[in-house]
Amino acid sequence: MDYPQPKHSKVLVIGETCLDRYVFGTCERISPEAPVPILNTGTATTLVKKGMAANVSTNILSLGQQTELVTNKSDIIKTRFIDSKTKQQVLRVDEFDRCDPILQEILDIHLASHYDATVISDYNKGFLTPEFLSRIIPKLPGPIFVDTKKKDLSPFENCIIKINEPESKEINNLPDSADLIVTIGNRGAKYKGEILTTNSCEVIDVCGAGDTFLSALAVHYCQFKNTRDAIRFANMCARVTVQKTGVYNVTLEDIK
């Protein structure tokens, strides 16, 4: 398979952004009060990264392409408490889980520029309402790549939609004009009745793997205009991500 060259494309990314916080401690015993592990954070280290749509945007940059991000200003914070020894997540705490809708004026500023593609990273936190999506998608530069937590996919006419297998069982109103890609974990991805496989690997952390897949899909497609090859490339990039702890931005050197 060819690899995308680090130039050529500029991608508009639209969607919700969060702060991903990782608090690493040690688990050595179970609580006497409940059957849960006790995480000792006395000597904990904390890592903070931008996630969700910001992770999509950063992955596009790390794969050698240009990007601009339209996202929420308010902070959504996801804090994960992790045992340093086993790398297992003990607890996740979410704060400020909703954000205000996007303003048309903000998007209009970006639409005045030229883009080779659009990526919509829709975590369904209130930033992208169905009504807004239906109105704006016909005006966005294509191709349009979508990852969404919405069950009603009717706004995504003429889009390439990527969702995971559990989400695929709950969707409705898939437009006839849309292409659907369903990721199926370590088996790869389904597309038009075909399973495009990936090599199995030890999974350390799936956090951000969907963002990486979406980014790589858009980057490779912009280069070579072949959906199946783009899915294979996205599979490889996601495979790298799940072998890392926390959000990880894949590079072409990782793949080569």
Side-chain angles (χ1 to χ4, degrees):
M1 181 191 298
D2 290 321
Y3 298 100
Q5 300 304 311
K7 45 186 180 182
H8 302 317
S9 300
K10 185 177 181 182
V11 181
L12 176 63
V13 178
I14 306 170
E16 295 100 338
T17 290
C18 74
L19 290 178
D20 282 318
R21 296 178 67 243
Y22 301 88
V23 180
F24 297 90
T26 55
C27 286
E28 296 179 349
R29 60 195 180 100
I30 301 297
S31 170
E33 301 158 4
V36 295
I38 296 173
L39 185 71
N40 185 346
T41 59
T43 58
T45 57
T46 301
L47 176 67
V48 180
K49 291 190 174 183
K50 289 188 176 182
M52 295 172 22
N55 186 35
V56 173
S57 183
T58 306
N59 270 281
I60 292 172
L61 287 171
S62 68
L63 288 169
Q65 305 303 304
Q66 294 180 290
T67 181
E68 289 188 10
L69 175 63
V70 179
T71 190
N72 51 292
K73 292 183 178 180
S74 57
D75 287 336
I76 296 171
I77 303 172
K78 299 178 181 179
T79 303
R80 297 168 177 86
F81 296 88
I82 298 170
D83 177 34
S84 298
K85 226 185 295 186
T86 63
K87 308 301 182 187
Q88 292 297 310
Q89 186 179 141
V90 177
L91 176 68
R92 180 174 131 178
V93 178
D94 288 4
E95 304 169 72
F96 314 113
D97 198 41
R98 304 293 295 175
C99 56
D100 295 332
I102 184 175
L103 296 176
Q104 179 70 53
E105 300 78 35
I106 300 298
L107 186 58
D108 285 344
I109 293 172
H110 290 269
L111 290 181
S113 300
H114 169 77
Y115 299 95
D116 298 288
T118 302
V119 173
I120 298 175
S121 178
D122 174 26
Y123 276 79
N124 202 24
K125 303 292 185 183
F127 188 64
L128 298 170
T129 65
E131 296 76 21
F132 180 84
L133 287 167
S134 295
R135 188 172 73 251
I136 199 63
I137 279 177
K139 303 176 184 178
L140 294 174
I144 303 172
F145 301 88
V146 176
D147 190 358
T148 181
K149 301 297 182 186
K150 288 182 174 58
K151 297 179 182 179
D152 182 357
L153 303 186
S154 58
F156 301 109
E157 296 272 358
N158 299 303
C159 295
I160 300 172
I161 305 171
K162 169 259 156 191
I163 55 178
N164 62 37
E165 192 170 29
E167 291 165 348
S168 71
K169 297 174 182 177
E170 298 185 356
I171 63 169
N172 54 65
N173 299 326
L174 176 67
D176 291 337
S177 61
D179 269 358
L180 184 65
I181 300 166
V182 179
T183 56
I184 51 178
N186 61 11
R187 292 174 291 152
K190 292 180 184 176
Y191 177 65
K192 293 186 180 295
E194 179 183 359
I195 294 181
L196 301 171
T197 60
T198 187
N199 295 328
S200 61
C201 65
E202 181 186 6
V203 177
I204 303 297
D205 188 351
V206 298
C207 180
D211 298 333
T212 298
F213 186 100
L214 180 66
S215 308
L217 180 75
V219 165
H220 199 281
Y221 186 90
C222 283
Q223 296 291 317
F224 301 106
K225 305 297 187 290
N226 185 300
T227 304
R228 284 177 173 80
D229 280 351
I231 292 171
R232 293 185 181 98
F233 180 75
N235 277 336
M236 287 192 289
C237 291
R239 182 176 179 269
V240 171
T241 298
V242 299
Q243 296 179 75
K244 311 290 184 180
T245 298
V247 170
Y248 180 77
N249 303 127
V250 178
T251 68
L252 292 181
E253 290 305 312
D254 289 323
I255 303 304
K256 291 177 181 178

